[in-house]
Amino acid sequence: PIAEQPLLGSFAPAFEDGLNKGGMQFFLGQAGTGSRFHYHGAAWNLLAHGRKLWMVTPPAETPFSTKAAHQFFSEDAPRVRDTSRRCVQEPGDVVIVPDAWGHMTYNLRASVSVARFFEVPYTSVGT
């Protein structure tokens, strides 16, 4: 029965099969909001509605900031090292953030997204 199905499970991308998965997260934000720079384990983020700007940095290059996303993007983002990567996520796009990579987001439009942490199971060659 439909009542027994997890609400957000249907949003999970097909590549999730075989991965160790964490809890699903739901995000809703108006234009001009976002997340501060942070890092965690590997995760995917599926944008269902809106438009979102991402800045991603290698682990050793992640800046520390207590500024809100809109303030960081307008004041500090131009000075972040060239190792950062930026992209605009459109509805239906999945952004995969590698383990320990720093990232922040800025909603260019009101946005709705779902995300999940994951681990790729380790298997050694020949076993």
Side-chain angles (χ1 to χ4, degrees):
I2 190 116
E4 295 176 8
Q5 299 299 315
L7 175 63
L8 297 176
S10 62
F11 288 102
F15 67 79
E16 264 203 334
D17 292 343
L19 298 178
N20 297 324
K21 299 174 274 293
M24 186 82 67
Q25 299 177 348
F26 176 81
F27 298 96
L28 172 67
Q30 65 186 25
T33 63
S35 66
R36 294 182 172 124
F37 252 110
H38 64 285
Y39 63 94
H40 44 66
W44 58 258
N45 182 296
L46 169 67
L47 187 65
H49 175 82
R51 198 161 189 254
K52 190 178 287 199
L53 174 63
W54 285 77
M55 180 184 282
V56 181
T57 58
E61 306 288 329
T62 301
F64 175 77
S65 179
T66 58
K67 294 181 180 179
H70 72 278
Q71 188 178 8
F72 185 91
F73 271 111
S74 65
E75 296 175 4
D76 298 340
R79 293 188 295 276
V80 173
R81 297 183 61 141
D82 290 338
T83 55
S84 72
R85 299 293 180 253
R86 300 170 198 204
C87 68
V88 174
Q89 187 181 24
E90 303 286 350
D93 289 348
V94 175
V95 171
I96 298 175
V97 180
D99 184 33
W101 278 58
H103 55 284
M104 69 180 306
T105 62
Y106 180 73
N107 294 321
L108 300 169
R109 295 188 187 137
S111 297
V112 177
S113 61
V114 292
R116 179 178 271 175
F117 297 114
F118 67 88
E119 293 178 3
V120 177
Y122 173 77
T123 57
S124 61
V125 177
T127 60

